[in-house]
Amino acid sequence: MRLLHAATALAATSALALTLTACGNGSGNDASGDQSSAPASSPSATASGGAQAENAGATKDAGSSTGGGTGTTTGGSGGGTGAGRCHTAGLGFSFGSGDGKVSSSDDQQQLAVVLKNKTSAACTIQGFPGVDLKSSGGSWSLTRSGATPKKVTLAAGSSTTFTITLLPWNQGSGAEFKATSVVVTPPNETTSTTLAWPGGSVLLQDGATHPGTYTGPVGG
């Protein structure tokens, strides 16, 4: 009888051990499953990949934007609005027909100076020209009018003008300036062109605050 009870007890103990072992292994499998299926590392990798794709897209977009901007600038330059400045060497100089009287009260006259684009490309010009009247005894740099200069685009072969307003000298009116030539320097240029003066003597007012002889802006 003791042997039977001992065998029964041993069998029960073994069965309990097997049950505990099975439970322990199941718990371990659950923990292992939690670790392997946990999305902590996988979503991180996915997020990183997405960020890289966005960065790549941003870089691509930036490149496209830069290229587009450059193209637009180049296109604008070729379209005339970005034409280069007119230079003295590329301009022809002459007098126009606008040399009639403009004011009977003080006998002021206007002399138009024509600037012609002699080159094969458009150019722009803006501002006041330098105008110096020359005589055998000296030079007189004319002051500017109060007009606002505007930008003028000259196509190949086209012309624009500026006006010299002058006050002729009359006997007894004051000092006489016997002009023989006029030196014209286009805006923003340092090279000049000399033309023979087509008019008569001018009343010298080189020290006056508001002289009757002065120059206007190109295109004005």
Side-chain angles (χ1 to χ4, degrees):
M1 290 295 292
R2 291 183 178 178
L3 291 175
L4 179 59
H5 286 299
T8 301
L10 178 60
T13 303
S14 298
L16 178 60
L18 289 173
T19 300
L20 293 174
T21 302
C23 291
N25 289 339
S27 175
N29 288 337
D30 289 342
S32 176
D34 290 341
Q35 292 176 358
S36 62
S37 62
S41 59
S42 179
S44 297
T46 303
S48 176
Q52 291 176 0
E54 290 176 1
N55 290 337
T59 302
K60 181 178 180 180
D61 291 342
S64 300
S65 174
T66 302
T70 302
T72 301
T73 302
T74 302
S77 178
T81 56
R85 191 179 78 244
C86 297
H87 298 289
T88 306
L91 294 171
F93 298 80
S94 62
F95 292 111
S97 57
D99 56 352
K101 293 181 179 180
V102 296
S103 175
S104 58
S105 61
D106 57 9
D107 288 334
Q108 276 183 309
Q109 297 178 355
Q110 288 187 321
L111 178 65
V113 180
V114 180
L115 306 179
K116 181 178 181 179
N117 181 7
K118 300 187 301 180
T119 70
S120 58
C123 65
T124 61
I125 187 168
Q126 181 176 14
F128 286 86
V131 178
D132 296 285
L133 296 183
K134 299 287 186 179
S135 71
S136 58
S139 178
W140 177 12
S141 295
L142 301 188
T143 59
R144 302 172 175 179
S145 72
T148 301
K150 56 186 177 181
K151 188 173 185 179
V152 178
T153 299
L154 292 179
S158 65
S159 303
T160 187
T161 63
F162 71 87
T163 301
I164 298 175
T165 299
L166 59 98
L167 185 59
W169 174 83
N170 294 310
Q171 186 69 40
S173 62
E176 178 184 12
F177 189 88
K178 297 180 179 181
T180 57
S181 62
V182 56
V183 180
V184 178
T185 308
N188 303 307
E189 290 289 297
T190 56
T191 304
S192 305
T193 292
T194 301
L195 300 172
W197 182 247
S201 295
V202 181
L203 180 63
L204 180 62
Q205 294 180 310
D206 55 347
T209 303
H210 300 289
T213 299
Y214 53 85
T215 182
V218 172

